[in-house]
Amino acid sequence: MENAVYQYIVKRLFLMIPTLIGAAILVFFLLRLIPGDICELRMAGTGGYFDKEALAICQTELGLDQSIMVQFADFVWGFITFDLGNSMWTGQPIAEEISLRFHLSLQVAIMATLTAIFIAIPLGTISAIKQDTWIDYLVRAFSIAGIAMPSFWLGILIILGLLIGTQAYSGIPWMPPIQFVPIWEDPVHNISQLIWPAVATGYRYSAVATRMTRSTLLEVLREDYVRTARAKGLLEKVIINRHALKNAMLPVVTIFGIEFAFLMGGLVVTEQVFNLNGLGKLFVESVGNHDFTMTQALVMLVVTIFVFTNFIVDIFYAWLDPRIRYN
Amino acid sequence: MKHFMYPKLVASVAVGVALAVSGAFATAHAQKKGGELKFVVPAEPPSFDGHRETTFALIHPIAPFYSTLIRVNPSNPASPTDFVCDLCEGSVPKPTNDGKRFTFKIRKGVKFSDGSTLTAHDVKATFDKITFPVKGVASARKAFFSMVDKISTPDASTLVFDLKYASGAFIPAVAMPYNFVYAKKILDKDMHWYEKNVMGSGPFLWKGRSAGSFIKGSRNPNYYHKGLPYLDGFEAIFAKKQSLRVQAIRGDRAAIEFRGFPPKSRDDLKKALGDKITVQEGDWNCSLIVTPNHKVKPFDNPNVRRALTLAIDRWGGSKYLSRIAIVKTVGGVVFPGHPLAATKEELHKIAGFWPDIKKSRAEARRLLKEAGVPNLKFELHNRGVDQPYKIVGTWMIDQWRQVGITAKQRVQPTGPFYATLRKKKDFDVSIDFNCQSIVNPLLDVSKFISDDISGNQYGNYQDRDLDKMFDKMNRAADPAMQRKIMRDFEKRALDTQANAFVTLWWYRIIPHRSYVKGWKISPSHYLNQDLANVWLDK
Amino acid sequence: MDARSESQSITGVELEEPAKSQSWLISVLDLTRRQPLGAAGAIIVIGMIFMAIFADFLAPFDPVVNNFEMMHVAPSAEHWFGTDQFGRDVLSRIIFGARTAMLVGFVSAFIGATLGLVLGVASAYFGGVFDLIFQRIMDVFMAFPLIIMALAVVSIFGTGVENLIIAITIPFVPRCARVVRSSALAIREIPYVDAARALGYSHRRIILRHMVPNVMAPYLIMITAFVGQAILLEASLTFLGLGVQEPTPAWGLMLQGGAEEYAESAPWMAIFPGLAISLAVFGFNLFGDALRDVLDPKLRAQ
């Protein structure tokens, strides 16, 4: 590989480290600012009796009575050695707790991204070619409707629609399964549960991607070399396919990269509505439970995914567009 | 599914008792064996140790794996006084030695799921852990057993409790569903083992868990109650959103939910599915309480506190709120319908329960004016849960508006809510609740006594007269005496001092798929959940 | 008009604007014809703002008073959008809800975008280590899950409109900063700025007179995008129980309360707030989209 590219890659790798450190510091101290205590929550429950002694015992068990710096050192060391430790709330190993939810979130993220791609690219292309015609307006209105609807509203409508619709049709109301089974164990159960949130989410993300595809395609279609190609007499279709689309993919790929990172752990409301046992749900629960170790681990996971995705997109850019490398 | 012929005599007696006492529907079919019961649970328990946890989310999925020493009668769970033996033999023993000694005979031939035999030593080890926890072990209900002096096992099938003083609260405490019986040999090795592992002697065996998703159990073929359980297994599915749980029952992804739904969900399910849905409902052993902070002016003035409770139209509110929230019955400090509870006439004499709301509100305004705060403004601290907290909170703000009080809601998620109530104490007036498992009014009213004695009083006050009444009540052996002191206690707590006041009692509504049979509703979502008597008519 | 904006973006030099409001009116009408979607969006936006300001006069009922006699009334002549489970008029709550939505939307969008503008321009202008550090900090905030940040803010500071605005503003800052920064970087590179520095122009003058006008376009576009996002975020956070509380009228709150429970028997409780949110966000997005087309010369059709 060229020296410049190699340097670029190394530089970007190095730049990830401060971001990770920054995220670690942020999450650590942010969590401890939230009032409330995990031990109290365990004992709170019914509002019935609870023992002040039991509270102290619990705090010692979880290491909460140690000084802040010790706790932080533990946390950072754990991250470096990939030892995530145990959840403060359940006592089970964090890696186990996360893996199942990670699986689900990943699957939904992939399915949603695929949905978004299948909607965005064709629609964005049409919209760019037929700019300012009624087709363009229709496509834009359709995609904006996707962002405008609150996702939980859409989810509620979907489930209710399924129940009422199937009952009207066959007399028996049907709804998607509510517990998660991995796809290799029972593909029908798995898909029939995840297709709905995937499509609902995919529709939302296609909106941003459609707009991005359209605008970059427009930009590229006016570039000089396209004009030159047109002047040379190449067919419009060939121009679009070969030259324009390839270069227009750059920003689109960026968007997908970043949004994908967001899909992992950001779908909190959708997961609630469809009862998905994903990372978003785990996130909200662990913050609500003041489960420091779990929340910290999850944040670092999501930030790492985000940073790596950015990194890969940057490398992709550098490979496609040499000008960037020399910046 | 095979038809199962239970010894006819016992079956008809059980059915007859159920009909006569609880008035619940009786089934004419014989119970069918087989099938898997799917039910939804609102939350996942943090650990599996019943002695440590206080959330109902532990009971629903985990209780089926364990036995207890005694329990509420599964055929009559609505009764607050009908207890029967589970691991003991015969009927619940009467106390001897001036009411200070209880001797239990432990069943023979009971096996844990790992094959070992259960003896009185295991039960003793269990109650030792609950009553006298060693350092480092948390026992959430230790205070309920403060009357226990000593636990002993003269032989492998006899268990003896010696109390410091006679108390009517002991047996209900033992019957609490959280008192899972553990194995001594495991407790000797590791007191924390049961937090992450399940190994009991109950009707079901541990089949598996998917973190955050579900817990499964399968039938225990060696269960000591012969012929039970009817089910082949069960699956407890975790679903946080209430509307989704309702929809799950509608779409038959689950057959039942054991906590309770609001009235509208019941109506919707009934309308959508007609006969396929059966509804069981009844009073719930939970009350919604309003706790003024006695250390914040002007709530240190009992008259201001009285004004707050006088402004609220409980009788009228009950009519409307019972249509949109899980509250209904107007009651005092004691569970409505319990022998110790106040009658309607007795309630009418307490502030906030007067039959004439106009008079009540006029008095409230007068008291506020006298105290110098006619246009009182404050923040109502509330918990971020819809049913019934936020709904009742919204209603109360409107009630107070009608006597010139302006209240704003300050809602917090559960964690910060408790932090504020327990530690920071930076609230004006807070919504609170008092939920207990077994209906045990003598102990349940500890919510109102001084905060250095009570485990869960958050109003920041001490009331020694109330403490004295509480003590006297608990040591009185005669129910008539208990009742008399209870009335005085109630009058002082809710009226003269208005330390905290009860708004309404909760109401439990369980609409479920009609093919689920054998489960009977009780006043508490903690009771009668081992699922041994449940069968599916499919 | 093409030539003018073209030259502005390259050299940063301002040319004279055509004077008089007459041509302003003509250009508005012209815009409407050429950007019908944007015009529609603008009408919606203006309508929402109007509703928010004049809510007291427009709303037929008090949005907060309970009226148990009129629980769950279907849409009728008296209650155009029906009533909710407390007997409150849904239409009035929607009109007052516009106030909350506009307040939260505009304040968070404006503060977030402006802070982002300032930081992005400063970072692009001063460059070097400052830029590097700043970029990393922005990265951290962008990577940090939005909901968790909002959860934390609300848990620490409490619920209520003010804290909600803070929670929503935070994710906007790095996003705007990033976009503004890349626009500003384009200016940074040109020799004109170096010449200006050589001549002794102060930092402030160069930034304010030459860099900022050039990032105005993305800045304005971001604001309109943010308002829509803020309204949605408010709805989501309230749905999770973290936003505005009862009995304040707010669209997200109306969807959260009993709307799901009563979705079948009283669907008007869920439909109208959902429509209100969708319409508002839709309008702002249309408007922002059209704005983008107008301000970005490269996108205009030839």
Side-chain angles (χ1 to χ4, degrees), chain B residues 401-447:
Chain B
R401 189 185 54 84
Q402 297 180 42
V403 296
I405 299 177
T406 313
K408 217 171 69 151
Q409 258 198 94
R410 174 180 158 216
V411 173
Q412 286 189 307
T414 306
F417 176 76
Y418 279 112
T420 303
L421 272 188
R422 293 204 152 95
K423 279 219 289 260
K424 287 163 67 175
K425 307 259 186 221
D426 58 343
F427 64 93
D428 298 332
V429 177
S430 180
I431 299 254
D432 195 359
F433 66 101
N434 193 14
C435 276
Q436 305 293 343
S437 57
I438 303 277
V439 177
N440 194 354
L442 292 173
L443 284 179
D444 295 346
V445 298
S446 68
K447 181 103 180 131

Side-chain angles (χ1 to χ4, degrees), chain B residues 306-506:
Chain B
R306 282 185 83 226
L308 283 183
T309 179
L310 282 166
I312 298 184
D313 180 12
R314 289 163 173 79
W315 302 103
S318 159
K319 200 163 61 140
Y320 295 113
L321 287 178
S322 60
R323 277 154 60 184
I324 58 174
I326 53 176
V327 293
K328 187 167 175 192
T329 313
V330 183
V333 298
V334 179
F335 180 67
H338 191 272
L340 288 175
T343 60
K344 197 157 174 199
E345 293 71 37
E346 283 164 332
L347 277 180
H348 276 165
K349 301 202 200 97
I350 303 180
F353 297 86
W354 294 355
D356 184 350
I357 187 63
K358 284 204 185 57
K359 195 162 136 224
S360 192
R361 289 204 172 121
E363 173 72 2
R365 278 198 211 92
R366 187 188 70 81
L367 284 172
L368 286 174
K369 198 147 150 237
E370 213 178 73
V373 284
N375 297 314
L376 182 58
K377 278 190 177 33
F378 65 86
E379 263 192 350
L380 177 67
H381 179 242
N382 202 352
R383 189 174 167 192
V385 175
D386 236 11
Q387 288 283 4
Y389 304 90
K390 294 212 282 194
I391 297 185
V392 175
T394 308
W395 168 74
M396 279 206 297
I397 291 182
D398 194 63
Q399 298 284 298
W400 283 325
R401 189 185 54 84
Q402 297 180 42
V403 296
I405 299 177
T406 313
K408 217 171 69 151
Q409 258 198 94
R410 174 180 158 216
V411 173
Q412 286 189 307
T414 306
F417 176 76
Y418 279 112
T420 303
L421 272 188
R422 293 204 152 95
K423 279 219 289 260
K424 287 163 67 175
K425 307 259 186 221
D426 58 343
F427 64 93
D428 298 332
V429 177
S430 180
I431 299 254
D432 195 359
F433 66 101
N434 193 14
C435 276
Q436 305 293 343
S437 57
I438 303 277
V439 177
N440 194 354
L442 292 173
L443 284 179
D444 295 346
V445 298
S446 68
K447 181 103 180 131
F448 297 92
I449 58 180
S450 303
D451 59 2
D452 46 359
I453 307 180
S454 159
N456 58 345
Q457 186 255 86
Y458 305 125
N460 241 341
Y461 63 85
Q462 285 88 40
D463 189 336
R464 298 301 170 203
D465 288 339
L466 219 53
D467 297 345
K468 286 203 199 80
M469 288 188 219
F470 179 76
D471 220 31
K472 250 175 79 184
M473 228 178 2
N474 268 287
R475 290 176 194 258
D478 174 26
M481 184 53 137
Q482 290 170 355
R483 193 167 198 288
K484 180 181 166 326
I485 306 177
M486 183 64 88
R487 293 280 78 69
D488 294 334
F489 183 95
E490 198 172 48
K491 179 90 180 158
R492 187 179 168 86
L494 301 185
D495 192 342
T496 15
Q497 285 298 307
N499 287 331
F501 42 93
V502 177
T503 53
L504 292 167
W505 286 79
W506 296 19

Side-chain angles (χ1 to χ4, degrees), chain B residues 72-387:
Chain B
V72 289
N73 186 348
S75 314
N76 185 18
S79 157
T81 49
D82 187 359
F83 301 115
V84 298
C85 267
D86 187 9
L87 278 178
C88 55
E89 264 176 2
S91 46
V92 175
K94 292 266 173 296
T96 54
N97 193 8
D98 272 339
K100 294 203 291 203
R101 169 171 286 205
F102 287 85
T103 309
F104 293 88
K105 275 260 165 269
I106 305 297
R107 240 176 236 272
K108 298 197 182 45
V110 178
K111 290 221 183 301
F112 281 110
S113 59
D114 67 356
S116 58
T117 313
L118 189 152
T119 66
H121 300 301
D122 297 303
V123 187
K124 169 170 158 40
T126 299
F127 279 96
D128 276 339
K129 177 171 180 291
I130 296 174
T131 317
F132 311 114
V134 301
K135 193 160 163 52
V137 173
S139 171
R141 280 156 290 272
K142 194 174 81 169
F144 279 80
F145 293 93
S146 52
M147 75 289 278
V148 174
D149 188 27
K150 204 173 60 165
I151 310 173
S152 49
T153 46
D155 58 65
S157 52
T158 313
L159 181 69
V160 178
F161 286 90
D162 282 305
L163 310 183
K164 297 178 197 148
Y165 49 84
S167 170
F170 173 69
I171 286 294
V174 178
M176 285 193 299
Y178 287 94
N179 302 331
F180 299 155
V181 171
Y182 294 153
K184 174 171 160 60
K185 69 175 194 294
I186 293 184
L187 288 179
D188 284 343
K189 267 199 305 219
D190 179 7
M191 277 284 176
H192 296 282
W193 190 86
Y194 279 100
E195 287 170 23
K196 301 200 197 122
N197 302 285
V198 169
M199 208 285 291
S201 51
F204 292 91
L205 302 172
W206 179 260
K207 191 162 161 204
R209 162 197 188 231
S210 173
S213 211
F214 57 78
I215 286 182
K216 283 193 184 171
S218 59
R219 178 196 288 133
N220 178 3
N222 299 321
Y223 190 45
Y224 50 90
H225 288 298
K226 291 277 168 268
L228 300 182
Y230 302 115
L231 296 168
D232 282 337
F234 72 88
E235 185 177 353
I237 305 171
F238 302 113
K240 188 166 158 182
K241 267 195 118 326
Q242 181 189 277
S243 58
L244 191 106
R245 296 198 297 275
V246 176
Q247 285 155 354
I249 295 187
R250 182 171 177 171
D252 207 12
R253 291 287 173 191
I256 187 170
E257 192 249 35
F258 292 118
R259 187 172 180 264
F261 286 143
K264 217 40 178 122
S265 308
R266 165 199 60 197
D267 297 338
D268 283 346
L269 279 175
K270 235 1 194 157
K271 191 152 147 245
L273 296 170
D275 278 348
K276 299 207 186 93
I277 290 285
T278 307
V279 182
Q280 296 191 51
E281 27 184 275
D283 279 314
W284 203 334
N285 190 15
C286 278
S287 56
L288 209 58
I289 296 182
V290 175
T291 302
N293 187 345
H294 290 224
K295 292 230 168 57
V296 170
K297 286 197 183 321
F299 303 107
D300 52 344
N301 181 346
N303 281 336
V304 172
R305 300 197 296 265
R306 282 185 83 226
L308 283 183
T309 179
L310 282 166
I312 298 184
D313 180 12
R314 289 163 173 79
W315 302 103
S318 159
K319 200 163 61 140
Y320 295 113
L321 287 178
S322 60
R323 277 154 60 184
I324 58 174
I326 53 176
V327 293
K328 187 167 175 192
T329 313
V330 183
V333 298
V334 179
F335 180 67
H338 191 272
L340 288 175
T343 60
K344 197 157 174 199
E345 293 71 37
E346 283 164 332
L347 277 180
H348 276 165
K349 301 202 200 97
I350 303 180
F353 297 86
W354 294 355
D356 184 350
I357 187 63
K358 284 204 185 57
K359 195 162 136 224
S360 192
R361 289 204 172 121
E363 173 72 2
R365 278 198 211 92
R366 187 188 70 81
L367 284 172
L368 286 174
K369 198 147 150 237
E370 213 178 73
V373 284
N375 297 314
L376 182 58
K377 278 190 177 33
F378 65 86
E379 263 192 350
L380 177 67
H381 179 242
N382 202 352
R383 189 174 167 192
V385 175
D386 236 11
Q387 288 283 4

Side-chain angles (χ1 to χ4, degrees), chain A residues 10-20, chain C residues 132 136 139:
Chain A
V10 169
K11 183 168 146 212
R12 307 244 26 115
L13 269 172
F14 260 112
L15 286 178
M16 280 200 281
I17 297 177
T19 312
L20 289 172
Chain C
L132 219 61
R136 298 280 75 72
D139 256 359

